[in-house]
Amino acid sequence: MEEGFVRAVDDGLKLTKRLVQPGGGPPPRPHAAMDRDPLAAMDKHPLLPTAPMAYAVVVDPGAVDNPDVPSYQPHVYGRLDPPALIPLQMREVELRVDAACARAEVTLRARWWVHCITRSRACDCRVVVPMGYQVAPLSPFPLLFPCDLNSFSLLFSALLPALCWNWPWLGHGAEVTVGKRLYNTHVIDVEDDTAMKISKSESGGLLKQELFSLTIPQVGGGDDIFATIRWSQSLLYDNGQFSVEVPFRFPSFVNPLPKIFTKKEKIQLTVNTGVSKEVLLQGTSHPLKEKGRQDEKLSFLHDAVVENWSIKDFTFTYSVYSGELSGGVLVQPSTLRDYDDRDLFCIFLLPGNNASRKVFRKAVVFIVDSSGSMQGKPLENVKSAMSAALSDLVQGDYFNIVVFNDELHSFSSSLEQVNEKTVESAIEWMNLNFVAKGGTDIMHPLSEAMALLSNSHDALPQIYLVTDGSVDDERNICNTVKNQLMGRGSKAPRISTFGLGSFCNHYFLRMLASIGKGHYDAALDTGSIEGRMLQWFQKASSTIVTNISIDGMKCIQEFEVDSEYVPDISAKYPLCVSGRYHGKLPDTLTVKGRLADMSEISVELKVKHIKEIPLDKVLAKQQVDLLTAKAWLSEDKQLERKAVKLSIQNSIPSEYTRMVLLQTSLDKIDPAEQAKKTPTKKGSPEDRSAAPLHSLTLGFGDIVATRENLTTGFGDIKPQEKFEIFEKAAGCCGRLADCICCMCFIKACSKINDQCAVVMVQACAALACLGCFECCSELCCGGSD
């Protein structure tokens, strides 16, 4: 997928040689950027976007020309298959980020113009937005603050209690205006598609884990494209420091002529920690001046006219000084449109930056899936991450490794003490035993790990499960593990899970980690496996406080915590517990826990009633995930309907809803609403049409794909799509025999995976053998006569 995109952009850049700029001169030669930008040279694919981009999808090369200065070049015959992608020049851009609970809500507004298509022609245009670390869906509109499209403005309100769910859920809100056509994203119930026409063709979605795309049909040459897109990404935390990076590196060829357009860059940064602690700005990618400081809020500003759009990502790092464990309780009343009439609360705890804080000794069992679907890069990347994780263990820790498929193999019959020799032996053992073959069986290795940890040598027992598949008895596994952990009390192992690709059931892994008071993460493409696994392991293995309890909640009416199980506190990540209640909270709540030296710790948290932080928006994603996981485990239809209501209310796609790109004609919008660019409900369904956006949800796993050991769970074509390709190829020529030499059949063969190719070769060989056998039989029979 990445390679195809890169080839299409490379073809598009070659087509731009046909363009003539005002004044009759040739187009400005792309800075080695598109041909190879120095900054992009460090990337795996330098032509992949490192900033919000728009592309003209060119099928007919003869349509490529400057809409204002025709070149009268000779006509070009032929069509491009696949189409080329020409990067469009950007006229205006505005990027604003509003972060809360360690998540950065990013709002991008930009204006591109179709500078490469003659005015008598039109083409589809694709908007592609690279997003930062661990994205998640947000409500797209209305915008929280007024904007000025004549400037580039970055507003960052860093409201940082703690992260809720730390995994890469991928959803978006978008609005695009082209002439009198308005396109915006909507979340609808999968069971209610009657309100609008849903087309079968898709209009965008995720090209890969952190690359979002929208396709706008038939944009005329010289037209302007106005787009507003919102997403969410995590703020990273380490030793008391928070940091964020927003992709914002524009290549030189998106800069229009400087004599025509003035580019103004304005960056406004506002930090609100939510706690009464000293805040220090550690570093930023752009020069910022402090403009104000009030209580827990700090504001910074950068305002300048620039010659070119930004060539570096916007990054900043700051610290909240706290030598000890600290935090607070944020409370917000329910709103009229809320699905629940109870008030909302969020308890957050920051681990502090005390370097002397002792981390629990660990007794670790790694459980690694080595089924046939893990062959190639997935298993190799897991092995590399495992080697690094073993090297991070310290003396005093214990470990073992269990690799499983249809069978189970252990590095040792008991826990091994960490030292240089045992770690080297374990790495050598992995090199010999990490071989992809067989099927997937999860309960057996979990039981083996539980048995190994029955004697954890007074260390904190931990299980790390890595898998890419789904199994039939996942609900039974959750219930069985829950009963086993309850029987062990405070000595119960912590279970952390890591999902690979889209064929595993991420809600099962999430629920299993929740029951085990551990951590969950995932990698949806092979290139991110090693990095994300290491971050997941470091977070889960840096426990500083266990057995968390909250006093003062028993007297509160209808008190409910979103997650039944409160995880331990990690030195690498804040802790967040949210929920609903009726009544009145006390002025302070007390959180208790146990330190690594077995002493008790108690922290008093002040209760703050907030208005400026949209707590319901910040926690909506966490609540949708938890409701979905609970609904899956309990098979409760009422929980499913709650998840649907919360999903639609906050424009967050879920497993029970879907996001579509809705097209509306602006001349059919109520004049009172036209200024807001919001479609009125007075229009008939015929006035609007919608196309689905793909890959924004993961589903509940694919047991069939797991049984067949398919390795396409990382964004490749899914099994059912392979058969659709053959059907299209057959339908193209009428008979399968007539398709042997046609392009459809050739394309279909190019999509076949290795296993399918082997089966086809074996089948052909068998048919050939049968033919030879029949021929020999006839010859022998003829000779005997």
Side-chain angles (χ1 to χ4, degrees), residues 431-549:
N431 292 332
L432 295 174
N433 290 274
F434 275 29
V435 179
K437 61 180 182 179
T440 304
D441 176 15
I442 294 178
M443 189 65 240
H444 187 192
L446 276 174
S447 300
E448 177 70 13
M450 292 278 196
L452 288 170
L453 291 171
S454 58
N455 179 16
S456 57
H457 304 278
D458 294 326
L460 182 65
Q462 294 183 324
I463 296 174
Y464 296 88
L465 170 64
V466 181
T467 183
D468 74 333
S470 299
V471 293
D472 290 307
D473 58 343
E474 289 170 340
R475 292 186 179 87
N476 180 57
I477 291 174
C478 286
N479 293 324
T480 301
V481 169
K482 179 179 178 180
N483 293 332
Q484 291 180 355
L485 295 180
M486 290 177 62
R488 296 199 180 190
S490 61
K491 295 183 179 181
R494 272 52 177 170
I495 301 176
S496 295
T497 59
F498 194 92
L500 301 171
S502 59
F503 288 162
C504 61
N505 185 349
H506 291 272
Y507 294 96
F508 158 65
L509 296 177
R510 179 192 300 277
M511 184 55 68
L512 188 61
S514 176
I515 292 171
K517 296 185 178 181
H519 298 269
Y520 161 79
D521 209 333
L524 302 183
D525 56 81
T526 54
S528 64
I529 291 176
E530 186 173 351
R532 296 185 75 97
M533 273 192 66
L534 285 175
Q535 291 176 349
W536 163 73
F537 173 74
Q538 290 170 358
K539 177 175 60 178
S541 63
S542 302
T543 304
I544 57 175
V545 185
T546 63
N547 301 335
I548 305 298
S549 63

Side-chain angles (χ1 to χ4, degrees), residues 53-368:
M53 299 276 289
Y55 301 87
V57 183
V58 179
V59 176
D60 180 5
V64 177
D65 205 344
N66 191 309
D68 298 323
V69 187
S71 61
Y72 303 104
Q73 295 184 11
H75 183 73
V76 179
Y77 295 93
R79 296 176 67 82
L80 297 172
D81 186 18
L85 297 177
I86 299 181
L88 300 181
Q89 292 182 356
M90 186 169 62
R91 289 184 168 182
E92 300 169 3
V93 65
E94 176 182 351
L95 180 67
R96 304 177 331 147
V97 184
D98 187 12
C101 286
R103 294 208 71 90
E105 300 180 18
V106 183
T107 301
L108 166 76
R109 300 188 68 188
R111 176 188 174 195
W112 294 276
W113 75 298
V114 185
H115 72 290
C116 55
I117 302 295
T118 184
R119 288 193 182 273
S120 61
R121 304 289 294 274
C123 69
D124 293 349
C125 288
R126 179 180 294 181
V127 178
V128 182
V129 181
M131 297 163 294
Y133 178 71
Q134 293 184 336
V135 296
L138 291 173
S139 171
F141 302 103
L143 296 177
L144 298 178
F145 305 97
C147 330
D148 180 10
L149 270 178
N150 294 322
S151 65
F152 155 55
S153 168
L154 175 62
L155 174 61
F156 201 109
S157 301
L159 314 169
L160 297 169
L163 180 67
C164 310
W165 278 103
N166 182 25
W167 86 293
W169 186 276
L170 308 170
H172 314 271
E175 180 181 271
V176 179
T177 303
V178 179
K180 292 186 177 181
R181 289 178 293 159
L182 171 67
Y183 300 86
N184 51 6
T185 54
H186 282 252
V187 173
I188 60 174
D189 192 336
V190 294
E191 298 179 356
D192 185 19
D193 290 348
T194 58
M196 61 187 72
K197 296 182 293 184
I198 306 295
S199 66
K200 294 183 179 180
S201 60
E202 296 176 338
S203 287
L206 288 171
L207 296 178
K208 53 178 295 187
Q209 186 168 347
E210 296 170 356
L211 205 62
F212 178 67
S213 170
L214 284 177
T215 299
I216 308 302
Q218 295 303 294
V219 181
D223 286 354
D224 285 339
I225 301 172
F226 296 88
T228 304
I229 299 177
R230 297 191 66 195
W231 70 90
S232 174
Q233 63 187 69
S234 291
L235 294 177
L236 302 180
Y237 178 87
D238 185 24
N239 196 28
Q241 291 190 353
F242 292 94
S243 61
V244 70
E245 179 175 342
V246 181
F248 219 64
R249 287 182 284 150
F250 293 96
S252 60
F253 44 78
V254 303
N255 290 292
L257 293 178
K259 295 181 181 179
I260 301 177
F261 299 102
T262 300
K263 293 172 282 295
K264 185 178 181 182
E265 184 174 87
K266 182 179 179 181
I267 302 175
Q268 185 177 351
L269 169 64
T270 303
V271 178
N272 186 330
T273 64
V275 293
S276 300
K277 300 292 181 181
E278 183 180 359
V279 178
L280 298 175
L281 187 65
Q282 301 292 341
T284 180
S285 59
H286 295 71
L288 298 176
K289 294 182 180 179
E290 184 173 334
K291 289 296 182 181
R293 185 182 292 257
Q294 180 181 5
D295 298 330
E296 299 146 13
K297 299 180 182 179
L298 295 87
S299 60
F300 302 89
L301 180 66
H302 164 64
D303 193 350
V305 175
V306 296
E307 294 184 2
N308 299 296
W309 297 122
S310 173
I311 60 172
K312 54 186 176 181
D313 295 335
F314 178 76
T315 61
F316 77 91
T317 302
Y318 69 94
S319 61
V320 180
Y321 178 77
S322 176
E324 300 295 335
L325 191 69
S326 62
V329 183
L330 303 181
V331 178
Q332 180 176 285
S334 62
T335 60
L336 293 176
R337 62 184 185 86
D338 205 336
Y339 82 103
D340 195 324
D341 62 351
R342 293 175 294 175
D343 293 341
L344 184 65
F345 73 87
C346 172
I347 301 173
F348 64 92
L349 289 166
L350 302 179
N353 52 4
N354 190 341
S356 62
R357 178 76 69 191
K358 187 176 180 181
V359 175
F360 276 80
R361 291 192 305 115
K362 300 173 287 295
V364 175
V365 176
F366 296 94
I367 304 176
V368 181

Side-chain angles (χ1 to χ4, degrees), residues 366 386-387 390-391 393-401 411-412 414-430:
F366 296 94
M386 283 280 298
S387 299
L390 289 173
S391 301
L393 297 175
V394 298
Q395 288 190 357
D397 292 341
Y398 293 82
F399 79 99
N400 204 339
I401 304 172
F411 167 64
S412 175
S414 61
L415 293 175
E416 295 287 338
Q417 193 167 9
V418 172
N419 55 54
E420 186 175 347
K421 183 178 179 180
T422 56
V423 170
E424 289 180 357
S425 298
I427 294 175
E428 292 178 2
W429 181 86
M430 287 193 299

